Amino acid sequence: MNFISPNLDIFLYDNPATVEINGRAMETAFGGLYSDTVQSFDFTVSNQVEQIQFNNFMPSFNVGTNQNELQIYIPGEYEINYMIRIDPVEIPDQTISAGVRQDGSFIDSTLQYGTLSTTGNTILQGSVIEFLSGQVDLAFRSTGAAAFELASLTNATLSIKRITPLL
């Protein structure tokens, strides 16, 4: 007997454990990618787009991890987290924008914009909740001419976690 709610069923022997409320399953989904290799980018005009390359997979469950993108198997609301670390540049006043794309189109709430630093790393990062389906990736969109490299060690991450309560 469940003392929390008569409408809540917890199945501890499932792997992973599952929960149902009024017969509707709660479905977990998460996944991520990260890069730890230096990548070079050279934009010459505005609105050029280039995908960030990932060389490592984070743990995932109910999310496909393809090279450089995540495949959403269970559409719903997801928490999206990402970070990009750019090495200092030699030429001042260069700017760049970056964000998460869904099926090739930028998700507006993820777009970040920054002036590239000549003295320290430039970090572009964000965390939002959005409805996701299809494929998601991380990309730059140029705001003008800019040439830069991602920093050494972990320089880009993209992770998602489904937060929709029920299927």
Side-chain angles (χ1 to χ4, degrees):
M1 177 163 201
N2 181 344
F3 294 104
I4 298 171
S5 169
N7 299 324
L8 179 67
D9 293 314
I10 302 172
F11 304 100
L12 298 177
Y13 300 104
D14 290 352
N15 187 12
T18 59
V19 176
E20 289 185 359
I21 298 175
N22 286 333
R24 295 179 67 194
M26 293 184 66
E27 196 66 51
T28 300
F30 58 85
L33 302 164
Y34 72 94
S35 167
D36 59 6
T37 60
V38 174
Q39 299 173 51
S40 296
F41 297 88
D42 190 2
F43 297 103
T44 56
V45 296
S46 295
N47 292 319
Q48 287 179 292
V49 174
E50 192 165 338
Q51 183 185 54
I52 293 174
Q53 306 297 302
F54 291 100
N55 64 324
N56 292 289
F57 300 110
M58 294 181 191
S60 67
F61 183 76
N62 283 337
V63 169
T65 50
N66 303 322
Q67 185 166 359
N68 305 322
E69 62 190 18
L70 299 171
Q71 176 67 47
I72 307 301
Y73 295 139
I74 305 170
E77 284 83 15
Y78 282 77
E79 179 180 349
I80 304 167
N81 292 288
Y82 69 95
M83 179 278 305
I84 304 166
R85 263 185 344 109
I86 301 169
D87 258 350
V89 295
E90 292 181 18
I91 300 169
D93 300 322
Q94 296 180 83
T95 60
I96 194 70
S97 63
V100 177
R101 297 186 304 171
Q102 179 169 233
D103 295 328
S105 297
F106 281 99
I107 301 170
D108 289 342
S109 62
T110 68
L111 282 171
Q112 297 291 319
Y113 170 86
T115 301
L116 302 178
S117 174
T118 57
T119 58
N121 287 336
T122 301
I123 298 176
L124 300 173
Q125 62 186 352
S127 180
V128 299
I129 296 171
E130 286 286 344
F131 183 89
L132 296 179
S133 64
Q135 296 175 336
V136 294
D137 67 359
L138 187 58
F140 287 111
R141 181 168 64 192
S142 64
T143 56
F148 57 90
E149 289 185 344
L150 297 188
S152 59
L153 304 175
T154 300
N155 52 34
T157 63
L158 172 62
S159 64
I160 58 172
K161 180 175 77 173
R162 187 172 184 274
I163 59 173
T164 301
L166 300 169
L167 278 177

